Amino acid sequence: MSPALAKSSEKLKNEIEDNYHKGVKYLHESGIQKVPKKYIFPISERPNSYNIKGNPEVTSKHNLKLPIIDFAQLYGPNRAQVLDSLSYACENYGFFQLINHGIPEEVIKSMVDVGGRFFDLPLVEREKYMTTDMTTPVRYGTSFNQTRDGVFCWRDFLKLVCDPLPQVLPHWPSSPSDFRDMAVTYSKETKILFIKLVEAIIESLGINVATQNKIQQNDEDDEMLKEFEDGSQLMAVNFYPPCPNPDLTLGMPPHSDYGFLTLLLQDEVEGLQVKCNDDWVTIQPIPNAFVVNVGDHLEIFSNGKYKSVLHRVLVNSLKSRISVASLHSLPFNSIIKPSPKLISETNRSLYKDTNFAAFLEYLKSCDSTNKSFLETRKLT
């Protein structure tokens, strides 16, 4: 190949790569008729892949209904039964749907609406927030981990660090004009819900830290609760545009969530799948409910009793989908380890201590899909 042709070929390759990094909404709006090779997953990882026995994995089963936790019942005479249900859900599913959680319907609808309107902005407006720096207060990007993904996912996202709010808020998008107001209200409401929920989950582990048991608490318990109140919160607004070949790609690959709990808000379009008994099962959205899942930190904190479960996202050819994930944990500088109250001579610690810095380093150097990071924290 002549130097001129080689230079032209390299330029074309760079232009194509640039288009990929502009995101899938840009590709969708450009009118593509088939998924680019960059987004085509290996056959074994596609939505209709075959399991090790040679049988097609089920991708659209609806016969698994996640446990439904009625949050309002926690504050009545049925608290003990709800705590048992919470424990069962976290131990056996790693997921549950939360209803009657107290966050106004208007707050929920406004967050989905303003998130959609952000992605409706021209690319020139959205790409102001495009960066690969994972430490920035706001980050617009595409795929799962676009600096390391060999195959890209059919997803664009806007990630917002939510604490300390007064410091990060000036960096959040100012368009649409009501974005900050809607996102601040939503982040505050979900943080309050997280604190209440985590108190119940810890109590379900047999650790008395719930507010109504204050009389039994000691300074150590108070300090634990304060750590969660001062904890980290990251919001991810995910956008999955229609895909011309949804059977060849994924919106997100199989992964577990790094953190303590994730509160996921979905629109009415299904796409979330959970791995259950070696099958991928689609979770049908319940209007105004949250899908809550155990994160890696809670699995470590519970010393393996509560499970951080693999999940992924499918896309479709007809409708765009929006979800808002609110990921909560302890402060970024905290050490995550099994609760000392759960460790004994007969129940040894199963996990190494870890922190957020270790996770960031892992992200920079390794594949972060599946449960790969959590596996590195297990003691042999």
Side-chain angles (χ1 to χ4, degrees):
M1 183 184 293
S2 71
L5 281 176
K7 188 174 181 179
S8 176
S9 176
E10 184 66 24
K11 182 180 178 182
L12 179 61
K13 181 181 177 182
N14 290 337
E15 287 177 353
I16 292 173
E17 282 292 323
D18 285 345
N19 285 342
Y20 295 153
H21 285 276
K22 290 177 180 177
V24 287
K25 189 169 193 293
Y26 173 83
L27 293 179
H28 170 67
E29 290 173 341
S30 71
I32 63 167
Q33 298 299 308
K34 63 179 183 178
V35 168
K37 186 177 180 180
K38 182 76 172 177
Y39 296 85
I40 298 178
F41 276 69
I43 292 175
S44 62
E45 298 175 28
R46 294 176 193 172
N48 293 308
S49 64
Y50 283 71
N51 61 26
I52 55 175
K53 297 177 182 178
N55 300 315
E57 289 192 358
V58 180
T59 63
S60 58
K61 284 172 66 177
H62 295 304
N63 56 348
L64 173 76
K65 292 187 177 179
L66 288 181
I68 296 176
I69 304 297
D70 187 337
F71 187 75
Q73 293 293 313
L74 273 171
Y75 298 95
N78 297 325
R79 183 177 179 85
Q81 293 95 311
V82 179
L83 289 174
D84 287 343
S85 298
L86 204 51
S87 178
Y88 181 83
C90 292
E91 189 171 350
N92 293 281
Y93 293 87
F95 273 78
F96 56 90
Q97 301 241 37
L98 189 69
I99 62 172
N100 296 327
H101 43 69
I103 297 182
E105 181 178 348
E106 182 60 32
V107 172
I108 287 175
K109 288 185 174 178
S110 294
M111 188 64 227
V112 172
D113 174 69
V114 81
R117 285 188 284 119
F118 171 83
F119 286 100
D120 284 340
L121 293 172
L123 177 63
V124 67
E125 188 68 29
R126 285 179 277 133
E127 67 183 359
K128 290 178 183 177
Y129 308 100
M130 193 172 284
T131 176
T132 57
D133 183 357
M134 295 183 181
T135 64
T136 57
V138 56
R139 181 161 64 99
Y140 177 70
T142 192
S143 193
F144 187 71
N145 181 359
Q146 70 193 83
T147 59
R148 299 203 56 82
D149 292 344
V151 178
F152 271 21
C153 302
W154 200 260
R155 171 186 82 138
D156 292 342
F157 62 80
L158 177 70
K159 292 188 176 179
L160 304 168
V161 174
C162 300
D163 55 273
L165 198 53
Q167 294 180 28
V168 299
L169 185 56
H171 299 278
W172 286 12
S174 54
S175 292
S177 59
D178 57 345
F179 182 90
R180 289 181 182 176
D181 286 343
M182 298 297 100
V184 165
T185 300
Y186 182 81
S187 68
K188 288 180 177 179
E189 290 279 1
T190 50
K191 181 63 175 280
I192 291 169
L193 178 59
F194 163 72
I195 296 299
K196 293 177 180 177
L197 194 53
V198 85
E199 286 175 353
I201 285 176
I202 292 175
E203 186 179 349
S204 76
L205 285 165
I207 303 172
N208 264 329
V209 298
T211 52
Q212 55 264 55
N213 294 326
K214 278 279 187 186
I215 193 169
Q216 300 176 25
Q217 286 183 215
N218 55 36
D219 291 342
E220 186 180 331
D221 294 331
D222 286 334
E223 187 177 332
M224 182 194 300
L225 278 184
K226 186 162 191 325
E227 267 208 283
F228 282 109
E229 289 168 1
D230 296 337
S232 60
Q233 179 181 6
L234 175 72
M235 287 204 314
V237 187
N238 303 303
F239 183 78
Y240 308 92
C243 175
N245 306 105
D247 56 324
L248 300 180
T249 190
L250 289 169
M252 288 188 77
H255 67 284
S256 61
D257 286 354
Y258 180 86
F260 205 84
L261 281 180
T262 299
L263 280 64
L264 180 74
L265 175 63
Q266 305 183 83
D267 64 12
E268 74 284 356
V269 182
E270 64 185 34
L272 174 66
Q273 290 194 318
V274 175
K275 194 72 177 281
C276 183
N277 298 325
D278 293 325
D279 280 329
W280 286 107
V281 185
T282 302
I283 305 303
Q284 289 183 301
I286 297 176
N288 301 315
F290 284 98
V291 176
V292 181
N293 65 281
V294 172
D296 294 350
H297 285 178
L298 178 49
E299 179 169 327
I300 292 172
F301 181 85
S302 69
N303 203 34
K305 181 177 182 180
Y306 292 171
K307 302 298 189 292
S308 179
V309 172
L310 287 177
H311 49 289
R312 69 181 186 180
V313 177
L314 303 188
V315 291
N316 70 83
S317 61
L318 299 176
K319 294 182 179 180
S320 60
R321 177 176 179 266
I322 285 184
S323 68
V324 183
S326 188
L327 299 95
H328 299 263
S329 194
L330 294 165
F332 286 130
N333 58 355
S334 292
I335 299 297
I336 312 298
K337 60 184 179 182
S339 171
K341 297 189 176 185
L342 300 176
I343 303 303
S344 65
E345 287 189 9
T346 56
N347 188 34
R348 303 281 185 176
S349 178
L350 301 177
Y351 300 85
K352 306 173 190 175
D353 294 358
T354 190
N355 57 25
F356 189 69
F359 178 64
L360 280 183
E361 284 304 309
Y362 188 86
L363 275 185
K364 293 175 185 176
S365 59
C366 301
D367 173 26
S368 54
T369 58
N370 293 300
K371 293 179 70 172
S372 51
F373 178 73
L374 188 60
E375 292 300 320
T376 69
R377 299 295 93 192
K378 289 183 178 179
L379 293 169
T380 56

